[in-house]
Amino acid sequence: MSSDLPTDVSTGLSSDLSTGLSSGPPSGPSSGPFFEAPAAFELRGLVVRYGKVRAVDDVSVSSPPGRITALLGPNGAGKSSLLGVLSTASRPHSGTVRVFGYDVLKAPMAARRRLGLVFQERTLDKELSVERNLWFHARLFGMKRADARARIDLMLDLFELTDRRRQPIEELSGGLARRVEIARALLHRPGLIVLDEPTNGLDPSARATVWADLLRLRERLGVTVLYSTHYMDEAEYADEIVILRQGRVVRQGSLARLKSSLDSSRIVVSCADDEAAARQLRAAGFAPLHEPGGVAVHCADPEARIAEVVRALDVPGLTVAVHHPSMNDVYLAAAAVRENDDQPERGRQESGRQESGSTP
């Protein structure tokens, strides 16, 4: 054994775990043959305050085991505050948070053992090797020595880090160091891995590698993934997308559901005479709209109606394209909804200030 490794790893709750990839989602307090498996995570009416500011305002979100969920929003939307409570690092003002059935306030250690955390800030010891960082994590979670050794070898293999096991963290690129952090988070077999802005500060190639790893390991290890991001393209990896703005959920659902909710799929016609095209489309029973790219015909299934649109047109220089809403369109629509919802509240506040300052 290399002197780079600790001489002992404490025993603990993980002593009955095998060295295989995964034994399925960890059991909750009420699991068993006659109970439905608990949600991987469940937040109900969560409120997080900093003074008078509500960083998280009555948020309710949950996920069954095995799902990937994205928290999407700008800086200050409440993503990190929500993850801080879920990870047991901070306490909520009100509401309940459970991890595989364990309340993070009443049973924080049980919840914590079912979590794997990857923080936005780098938390590896830069002067230690890759392997030694993993061994200290194994010690923290009370893994038996033989189990820890096998699990470390497995993680190094899965993340293609075996040839770097004795290399100091400070010599690794940002992308490789992030892979070590994800491997460390999965070392103790958590059912849920939580990542706060996992690709923050990485170049496009490293970002792509991190996501390839996460998607591959979700399939192989069966873990539930919850992550925060402000990148639209990263949100599209998720099975469920939760858009946060000013501490509230403004839109939630699968990518397909969110896009279809906009009702903005359309056929866009470009030609030498947009006015003539619009007249001909109206005569054929369509409701064309002028937009920067030409004349648009909105419909639920543009691919099925594109031939009908072309038949209705007799204009020079005709080109036709199908456009579907993007994740960016979804995000901008959600932001507009939140701003409109805030208008009455701002009006009431302004009215209240005027009334309080008026004289009888």
Side-chain angles (χ1 to χ4, degrees), residues 2 4 124-134 156 160-173 176-177 180:
S2 167
D4 184 45
L124 296 169
D125 191 319
K126 295 181 179 180
E127 296 182 358
L128 298 183
S129 68
V130 170
E131 188 173 27
R132 192 168 179 84
N133 269 278
L134 297 181
L156 292 174
E160 300 177 353
L161 293 166
T162 301
D163 60 343
R164 299 180 183 273
R165 66 193 306 151
R166 292 182 176 82
Q167 190 170 353
I169 296 298
E170 61 188 357
E171 295 180 5
L172 301 182
S173 66
L176 284 173
V180 176

Side-chain angles (χ1 to χ4, degrees), residues 61-221:
V61 179
S62 64
S63 170
R67 177 185 286 175
I68 298 179
T69 301
L71 301 178
L72 175 65
N75 292 335
K79 305 185 301 294
S80 293
S81 295
L82 185 156
L83 295 182
V85 174
L86 182 64
S87 67
T88 73
S90 59
R91 296 176 63 87
H93 178 79
S94 60
T96 59
V97 179
R98 292 184 175 87
V99 177
F100 287 102
Y102 290 97
D103 190 301
V104 299
L105 292 180
K106 298 177 181 178
M109 292 304 296
R112 182 65 183 84
R113 284 192 173 276
R114 287 152 180 84
L115 283 169
L117 302 175
V118 179
F119 300 98
Q120 186 175 153
E121 300 80 13
R122 302 296 187 260
T123 57
L124 296 169
D125 191 319
K126 295 181 179 180
E127 296 182 358
L128 298 183
S129 68
V130 170
E131 188 173 27
R132 192 168 179 84
N133 269 278
L134 297 181
W135 271 100
F136 273 102
H137 184 83
R139 180 193 293 269
L140 179 65
F141 278 86
M143 298 176 68
K144 281 188 174 181
R145 186 177 184 82
D147 181 40
R149 189 195 309 277
R151 190 69 176 176
I152 288 170
D153 288 345
L154 177 61
M155 289 297 107
L156 292 174
D157 179 59
L158 288 176
F159 284 91
E160 300 177 353
L161 293 166
T162 301
D163 60 343
R164 299 180 183 273
R165 66 193 306 151
R166 292 182 176 82
Q167 190 170 353
I169 296 298
E170 61 188 357
E171 295 180 5
L172 301 182
S173 66
L176 284 173
R178 187 53 106 187
R179 297 180 87 179
V180 176
E181 289 184 309
I182 297 173
R184 181 183 63 176
L186 291 167
L187 188 64
H188 62 284
R189 297 180 182 83
L192 169 65
I193 182 169
V194 175
L195 308 101
D196 190 6
E197 305 277 3
T199 62
N200 187 39
L202 300 183
D203 61 53
S205 176
R207 284 178 57 202
T209 299
V210 166
W211 279 107
D213 286 339
L214 286 171
L215 294 174
R216 174 171 53 88
L217 292 168
R218 192 276 291 261
E219 295 301 319
R220 189 165 180 184
L221 301 179

Side-chain angles (χ1 to χ4, degrees), residues 355-360:
E355 290 177 5
S356 63
S358 63
T359 57

